[in-house]
């Protein structure tokens, strides 16, 4: 997996490195060691899948304060995604 730091602190574009052979393609979606080495939370307690029936469907992940804060990982398995991230951490250099 390749981890590309983005302009917002703590945000990465994670690029899989697929392995292919005559059977098809295999790629890792999560690796405890590699996530940990990049400072990404590795104690996954919940995983959800959302499927949209129509193009241009808008979905949102919501910022949560402690004690309900969560790390978010977003994957697009088919099609494409337009991801917008807004930094709502007041003490961050990229706030708003």
């Amino acid at each position: 997996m390749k981890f590309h730091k983005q302009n917002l602190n703590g945000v990465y574009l994670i690029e899989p490195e697929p392995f292919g052979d005559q059977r098809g393609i295999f790629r890792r979606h999560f690796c405890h060691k590699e996530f940990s080495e990049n400072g990404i939370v590795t104690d996954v307690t919940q995983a959800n899948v959302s499927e949209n029936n129509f193009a241009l469907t808008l979905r949102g992940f919501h910022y949560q304060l402690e004690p309900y804060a969560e790390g978010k990982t977003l994957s697009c398995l088919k099609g494409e995604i337009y991801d917008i991230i807004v930094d709502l951490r007041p003490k961050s250099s990229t706030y708003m």
Side-chain angles (χ1 to χ4, degrees):
M1 302 169 92
K2 296 178 184 174
F3 291 78
H4 306 281
K5 286 186 178 183
Q6 302 299 292
N7 291 334
L8 294 177
N9 184 34
V11 177
Y12 293 85
L13 174 62
I14 303 171
E15 182 181 356
E17 295 182 287
F19 169 78
D21 62 19
Q22 69 278 6
R23 299 168 292 175
I25 295 175
F26 174 83
R27 70 177 63 88
R28 281 182 295 166
H29 185 73
F30 173 80
C31 175
H32 184 277
K33 180 179 183 287
E34 291 182 85
F35 273 52
S36 182
E37 289 173 352
N38 285 280
I40 300 171
V41 174
T42 58
D43 59 338
V44 178
T45 56
Q46 181 177 342
N48 305 307
V49 174
S50 172
E51 297 180 25
N52 299 320
N53 293 326
F54 306 101
L56 306 176
T57 299
L58 180 64
R59 295 226 181 232
F61 279 160
H62 306 283
Y63 178 71
Q64 296 165 275
L65 298 173
E66 292 295 344
Y68 306 104
E70 298 177 339
K72 310 285 186 180
T73 302
L74 181 64
S75 300
C76 182
L77 302 178
K78 181 178 178 184
E80 58 186 281
I81 188 169
Y82 183 75
D83 190 26
I84 298 171
I85 302 171
V86 179
D87 189 348
L88 297 176
R89 301 169 292 186
K91 295 181 180 179
S92 173
S93 64
T94 53
Y95 177 65
M96 300 301 284

